[in-house]
Amino acid sequence: MSFDKFNFEESLKEGLDAMGFNKPTPIQEQAIPAILDGKDLIATAQTGTGKTAAFILPILNKIAKDGSNRLNTLILAPTRELAIQIDQQIQGFSYFLGISSIPIYGGGDGIVWEQQKKALEQGAEIVVATPGRLIALLAGGKINLSTLEHLILDEADRMMDMGFSDDLLKIVGYLPKNRQTIMFSATMPNKIRQFSKQILNEPEEINIALGKTAKGVTQSSYMVYDNQKEELVKHILNQKNYEAVIIFASTKDKVKSLYKGLKKDYEIEAFHSDLEQVEREKIMSAFKSRSLKILVGTDIISRGIDIVGIELVINYDTPNDPEDYVHRVGRTARADSKGEAITFVNEKDRFKFNNIEQLIGMEITKLELPQHIGEAPTFKPSSRGNKRSAGKSSGKSNKRKTGNRSTATKPKTNNEKSASRQPTASNAVSTSPPLKTENTSGPSKINRFKQRKNVDQDNG
C-alpha cells in the first residue's frame, strides 16, 4: 500500500513526497489508522522499523486538520539524543504544515535553558521532552498541559529501565484525563504491561516481531580472550578504510580504556555519560558529518540514534540481553543499505551468545582468530547435554559448533596456517529476513529548516 490510503492532508502528503516516503512500513500500516481513529495504542516495535513516523504522521495530520495553534501533543523520550532526533523528524515532516515543536531536555548550560523557556513562551503545538526536565518545568509552573490531547511515550521500556516510572506517573497526573495515549516499546515485559494499564484506556495492541536483524547486515563473530580484544579491533579496522564505525563496550570504563588505546592510530572519540551534553552533541555532529569516523560507546548509542550509513558495528563485549544485540546491530544496514556486525565472544559469554542466536533465529558465522593475535577460546560439549563449557585451545582439536553438531578440525602446520586466508566480516553470509527501515532523507531546504529559529543552537 501507499501513504495515499491514509487520506492525509495535502500539505502533509507534500512533505512526505519531499522526504522520499513512498510506502509505509508494517508498523506504520497498522499504527497510523488506529491513531487516526483516536484509539489508545500500545505497540511493540524496535528501532529501524519506522516507528517514529508511525506516531508523528497521524498526529501532524490531526493538528493540521483541526487548525489548532495551542499545545496539543506531548512526546516523552528517555534520552536527550532521542528527543532531539524526534524533534528533527517532526520539523521535516511538518515543513509544509506550519506546525512547530520544541525539544525540552536537561544537561545543557544556562543559555540552553533560557532558549527552551523562550521557545515555550512563544508557543508550539508539540513538545518533545525527557521526563526529568519536564518534571522541573511542571514543578516551576513553566508549562501548562491543560490543552493536551495526545500523550506519546517512545521507548517506554528504556524509560522504565532508567527508573522513570514514578516520574511518568507524576507527569500523567498533570494531564487531562480525556486524551489519547500512545505507547511504543521495543520490548513488552510484564512491568510495561502493568504500567500501561495505569495510563491507557482499552488500548489496541500491535506487535511487530522483535529479534530479526536487517537483511543487509552481515553478522559474524570471533571467539577471543579479553586481553586480545584491542588488538583484534585494530586488525579489523585495518582491513578496510571504513567511513563510519560504532564500537560498543559494556561499561564506560572499557569505553575510555579502548579509546585511549586506539586514539593514536585512528580518528575516534568516546561517547559516554561522563561527557557534558555539549561535548556529546559535538561528537555526534562530527560523526554524522563523517568528519569523525569511529565512535566507541556504551548502549547509550544503541537506541534512538538514527544515522544512515554506518558500515560496521563491533560488539567489543557480547551484550547481556539478546535484545540489546538487535538494537546495537540495528545501527547498521539502515534504509536498505549494507553493513557488517562483528561480535567478540570471550570464554564466559557462550551462553549469552547462544541466546542471541536463538532470538534472531540464525547461527552467526564464527571467524578464525588471526594467527598473530594468538590462541582463541574453544567451546567443548559438557556432560550436561546441550550446555557448553569454555576452555583454552590446546592444538589437539578446534571444535566449532554448527547447529547441534560438533565438527573437529585437524590442527594446521605453520605452513598451512600462513597459507590459509583469514576470513573477514565480508565473507559471512546473513540469512536474516528483511526489516524495513525508516527513510529520513530529505531535500536540503528541509534540513535547513531543522535549525529552528528559536533553538538553532539549543543542543546542550
Side-chain angles (χ1 to χ4, degrees), residues 410-423:
K410 291 177 63 178
K412 296 181 179 180
T413 66
N414 289 335
N415 289 336
E416 288 174 327
K417 287 180 180 179
S418 62
S420 64
R421 184 174 66 90
Q422 293 294 340

Side-chain angles (χ1 to χ4, degrees), residues 40 153 169 172 179 181 183 195-201:
D40 281 11
L153 284 74
L169 290 176
V172 169
R179 67 175 189 276
T181 304
M183 179 186 290
F195 181 80
S196 69
K197 293 178 181 178
Q198 301 180 64
I199 64 172
L200 275 71
N201 180 31

